[in-house]
């Protein structure tokens, strides 16, 4: 069963910490995405990557960075976590987008 | 900018009734649309998609209708069941950037027994 795996379901971090969220896909997809999801705001794109070592800013990249050293892995980095980054983070991957995305189960991050 | 939006944030239906969830989009150049279902605590899951050269596509108990004239699509769920309770998202291709989708905010469907 093909899948997108996010390393943690729940995470609690302190303000100012550097946080790494990991995502791995086993479908050889070229595109990978990081979204955050907040009540009433839908899915907001943070960053995406269309190839190894390639990245593009989404709608809300401030306070985040990403890394894609290998095709199957896309990491989201919170350089200095803040309480307003408390959210559900969703990773997704796709072939060319006209075949849809496959999502991971999400990581619920709480910054205290 | 481009947008994809759902008409109603919440929808409540009786078990066994048909559900219709509506979505509008702004860019007539968008040529691919997709519906996702997200259950509580889970990531969104693919339901059905449609390309702009089609008006209708059917799956198991679901039908998507696309009206390009008014830039509107709908998801119809037949004989709605309690397991259909979830948030439903529509998304469309971004005519300016073929690498990503534009997402609506979601409609929360509640199925009453």
């Amino acid at each position: 069963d093909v899948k997108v795996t996010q390393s943690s379901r729940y995470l609690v971090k302190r303000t100012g910490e550097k946080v790494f969220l990991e995502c791995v896909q086993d479908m050889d997809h070229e595109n990978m995405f990081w979204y955050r999801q907040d009540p009433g705001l839908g899915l907001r794109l943070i960053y995406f990557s269309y190839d190894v070592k390639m990245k593009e800013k989404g709608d809300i990249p401030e306070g985040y960075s990403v890394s894609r050293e290998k095709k199957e892995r896309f990491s989201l980095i919170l350089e200095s976590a803040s309480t307003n980054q408390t959210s559900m983070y969703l990773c997704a991957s796709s072939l060319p987008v006209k075949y849809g995305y496959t999502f991971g189960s999400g990581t619920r991050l709480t910054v205290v | 900018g481009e947008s994809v939006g759902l008409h109603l944030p919440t929808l409540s239906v009786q078990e066994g009734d048909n559900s219709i969830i509506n979505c509008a989009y702004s860019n007539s150049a968008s040529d691919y649309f997709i519906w996702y279902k997200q259950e509580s605590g889970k990531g969104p899951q693919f339901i059905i998609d449609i390309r702009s050269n089609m008006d209708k596509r059917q799956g198991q108990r679901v039908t998507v209708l696309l009206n390009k004239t008014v830039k509107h699509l709908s998801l119809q769920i037949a004989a709605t069941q309690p397991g259909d309770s979830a948030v439903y998202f529509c998304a469309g291709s971004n005519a300016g950037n073929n690498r990503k989708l534009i997402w609506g905010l979601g409609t929360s469907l509640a199925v009453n027994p």
Side-chain angles (χ1 to χ4, degrees):
Chain A
D1 191 20
V2 293
K3 63 170 84 173
V4 175
T5 303
Q6 294 183 232
S7 54
S8 304
R9 287 301 304 274
Y10 300 95
L11 214 50
V12 180
K13 296 292 182 180
R14 295 195 179 278
T15 301
E17 277 192 78
K18 190 170 185 176
V19 181
F20 293 85
L21 301 183
E22 305 288 345
C23 177
V24 178
Q25 52 98 359
D26 63 2
M27 295 166 282
D28 201 34
H29 283 175
E30 57 201 52
N31 301 320
M32 295 188 76
F33 307 83
W34 275 107
Y35 287 87
R36 65 176 282 177
Q37 185 175 31
D38 302 287
L41 298 178
L43 294 167
R44 293 186 290 168
L45 181 63
I46 304 171
Y47 267 97
F48 68 105
S49 169
Y50 48 91
D51 200 352
V52 175
K53 298 188 186 293
M54 304 301 287
K55 61 185 179 185
E56 193 166 322
K57 291 180 181 179
D59 301 316
I60 51 164
E62 296 78 19
Y64 303 94
S65 62
V66 290
S67 173
R68 192 166 182 200
E69 297 295 319
K70 294 184 178 182
K71 191 175 185 180
E72 67 270 19
R73 186 179 297 269
F74 192 35
S75 303
L76 179 69
I77 304 156
L78 285 67
E79 298 291 344
S80 177
S82 64
T83 54
N84 63 13
Q85 292 178 311
T86 291
S87 187
M88 169 70 90
Y89 289 87
L90 289 163
C91 176
S93 72
S94 78
L95 292 169
V97 293
K98 293 177 186 179
Y99 297 90
Y101 295 4
T102 301
F103 282 89
S105 297
T107 295
R108 186 165 293 281
L109 172 68
T110 302
V111 183
V112 298
Chain B
E2 294 184 53
S3 68
V4 174
L6 286 157
H7 290 185
L8 286 175
T10 60
L11 179 65
S12 184
V13 299
Q14 290 297 124
E15 182 178 356
D17 287 352
N18 296 335
S19 303
I20 300 176
I21 302 172
N22 295 303
C23 189
Y25 60 96
S26 64
N27 194 321
S28 56
S30 294
D31 59 359
Y32 173 78
F33 302 91
I34 190 166
W35 284 96
Y36 280 85
K37 172 186 179 183
Q38 186 177 24
E39 297 175 278
S40 181
K42 297 183 179 180
Q45 292 183 297
F46 170 89
I47 303 173
I48 192 167
D49 61 2
I50 188 167
R51 302 183 192 282
S52 60
N53 60 352
M54 303 171 71
D55 297 322
K56 179 180 179 179
R57 192 165 187 217
Q58 288 183 289
Q60 188 174 17
R61 281 200 308 118
V62 295
T63 301
V64 56
L65 299 178
L66 177 62
N67 185 329
K68 295 178 285 294
T69 302
V70 295
K71 292 184 282 188
H72 177 273
L73 68 157
S74 65
L75 177 70
Q76 301 179 3
I77 305 173
T80 312
Q81 302 169 0
D84 295 325
S85 294
V87 177
Y88 290 81
F89 293 94
C90 63
S93 59
N94 181 338
N97 183 331
N98 205 32
R99 295 193 177 105
K100 61 180 182 177
L101 297 171
I102 304 295
W103 292 84
L105 294 179
T107 288
S108 178
L109 175 66
V111 181
N112 303 312

